[in-house]
Amino acid sequence: MLTIPGLCWLCQMPLACAHWGICSRCSYALPAPPPCCPRCGLPCAYRHTPCGRCLQEPPAWDSMLFVTDYCLPLNRLVQRFKFNATVALAPALARLILLRVLDAKRQPLWQKPDCMVSVPLHSRRAWRRGFNQSDLLANCLARWLQCDYFPKGIRRIRAGQSQHQLNARMRRNNLKGAFRVDFPVAGRHIIIVDDVVTTGSTVAEIARLLKKQGAATIQVWCLCRTL
C-alpha cells in the first residue's frame, strides 16, 4: 500500500521526510533577522560581539539563540501551536531551533550545554491549556542533542497575570518570587528553552535564580525574539 506523505505546515506541499514538518524551501525562506547581539538578541551593528547595551548592563543570561523575529509566517505557527493546542507542531518547530543550534556549533565560542530546562507554566494554567509548549520543544531538543533535561527543574510557584497583557515594568514585577529551582545547578552549563522571548523578563528571572545557585553559563534558546 502507498503511504500518505506528510505535508509542510506552511506551504502544504508533500515532504520528502515527513518528520521534518516544514520543508527545506520554507525553512530557508523564513525572514532572516538583522545582525543581533549574541548576548541579548537585539539588533546591533555586529553579530559576533556584545552590543553597547550589554557592555553597560548585561542580561542575566550569557547568550541567546533564536530562529527569527516574531513575524509572519512563524508567528502564526507559534499561535496555532500555543493557543489552538496543535501539539503535533512541536517537532517541526523544535527542528527549526535545532538547525540554528547546529549552525551556532560552528562558531568558535560555542559552549556545549550540560543540561536543559524549559520555562514553566503555573499548574493551573498548564491544566487549562493541557500542555506546556516550552516543555514540548525542550523535550525534542534534549532527545536529539542527547542532553540531560529536567522537565520540572524550574517550577512556577506563583501564578501572576498573563505576561502578554503587561508592559515591561509590569512583567518584571509580576515575576518576582514566581519561580523555584528544583535541580542541581552548581557548575553546569544550562539551556533555558522558551517559545517566544519578548522583553526577556521571564528568562531573566529564571537566569538570575540559576546564577545565584552557581550555574556556570546560561544560554536562552527560543523560536522567536521580538525585535
Side-chain angles (χ1 to χ4, degrees), residues 31-42:
C36 291
C37 171
R39 181 149 193 181
C40 68
L42 293 174

Side-chain angles (χ1 to χ4, degrees), residues 32-98:
C36 291
C37 171
R39 181 149 193 181
C40 68
L42 293 174
C44 67
Y46 305 102
R47 65 176 73 244
H48 298 303
T49 56
C51 65
R53 294 178 298 265
C54 290
L55 292 175
Q56 292 183 2
E57 191 175 349
W61 63 85
D62 297 285
S63 65
M64 178 175 289
L65 179 148
F66 62 97
V67 178
T68 187
D69 187 10
Y70 189 68
C71 62
L72 292 171
L74 196 53
N75 63 341
R76 287 188 177 172
L77 282 188
V78 171
Q79 291 165 9
R80 186 175 175 184
F81 172 47
K82 190 172 177 177
F83 300 116
N84 292 353
T86 312
V87 295
L89 268 166
L93 295 176
R95 180 177 170 271
L96 295 178
I97 300 176
L98 178 67

Side-chain angles (χ1 to χ4, degrees), residues 155-188:
R155 292 181 180 270
R156 182 146 191 166
I157 56 177
R158 186 172 59 78
Q161 294 177 257
S162 178
Q163 287 288 91
H164 70 270
Q165 301 170 352
L166 308 176
N167 61 34
R169 181 181 60 80
M170 294 170 70
R171 284 173 184 239
R172 289 192 295 271
N173 293 335
N174 187 48
L175 292 165
K176 289 180 179 177
F179 300 106
R180 184 180 72 206
V181 177
D182 279 347
F183 74 104
V185 170
R188 287 185 158 181

Side-chain angles (χ1 to χ4, degrees), residues 1-178:
M1 294 180 64
L2 295 176
T3 58
I4 300 174
L7 301 180
C8 172
W9 285 99
L10 288 173
C11 68
Q12 296 299 301
M13 293 297 289
L15 291 164
C17 296
H19 61 275
W20 284 5
I22 297 173
C23 69
S24 56
R25 186 182 183 92
C26 288
S27 297
Y28 293 138
L30 290 173
C36 291
C37 171
R39 181 149 193 181
C40 68
L42 293 174
C44 67
Y46 305 102
R47 65 176 73 244
H48 298 303
T49 56
C51 65
R53 294 178 298 265
C54 290
L55 292 175
Q56 292 183 2
E57 191 175 349
W61 63 85
D62 297 285
S63 65
M64 178 175 289
L65 179 148
F66 62 97
V67 178
T68 187
D69 187 10
Y70 189 68
C71 62
L72 292 171
L74 196 53
N75 63 341
R76 287 188 177 172
L77 282 188
V78 171
Q79 291 165 9
R80 186 175 175 184
F81 172 47
K82 190 172 177 177
F83 300 116
N84 292 353
T86 312
V87 295
L89 268 166
L93 295 176
R95 180 177 170 271
L96 295 178
I97 300 176
L98 178 67
L99 293 176
R100 284 286 293 111
V101 171
L102 295 177
D103 182 58
K105 286 177 73 173
R106 302 188 186 100
Q107 304 300 324
L109 297 179
W110 166 257
Q111 176 62 59
K112 182 180 178 182
D114 293 322
C115 60
M116 191 176 295
V117 293
S118 55
V119 172
L121 295 176
H122 189 267
S123 56
R124 287 198 299 271
R125 187 168 295 158
W127 178 81
R128 286 196 299 268
R129 184 173 292 174
F131 64 98
N132 176 359
Q133 68 280 353
S134 300
D135 169 65
L136 296 180
L137 295 173
N139 209 346
C140 293
L141 290 167
R143 185 172 70 252
W144 296 334
L145 294 169
Q146 297 183 335
C147 175
D148 288 340
Y149 174 46
F150 298 95
K152 298 187 184 299
I154 307 293
R155 292 181 180 270
R156 182 146 191 166
I157 56 177
R158 186 172 59 78
Q161 294 177 257
S162 178
Q163 287 288 91
H164 70 270
Q165 301 170 352
L166 308 176
N167 61 34
R169 181 181 60 80
M170 294 170 70
R171 284 173 184 239
R172 289 192 295 271
N173 293 335
N174 187 48
L175 292 165
K176 289 180 179 177

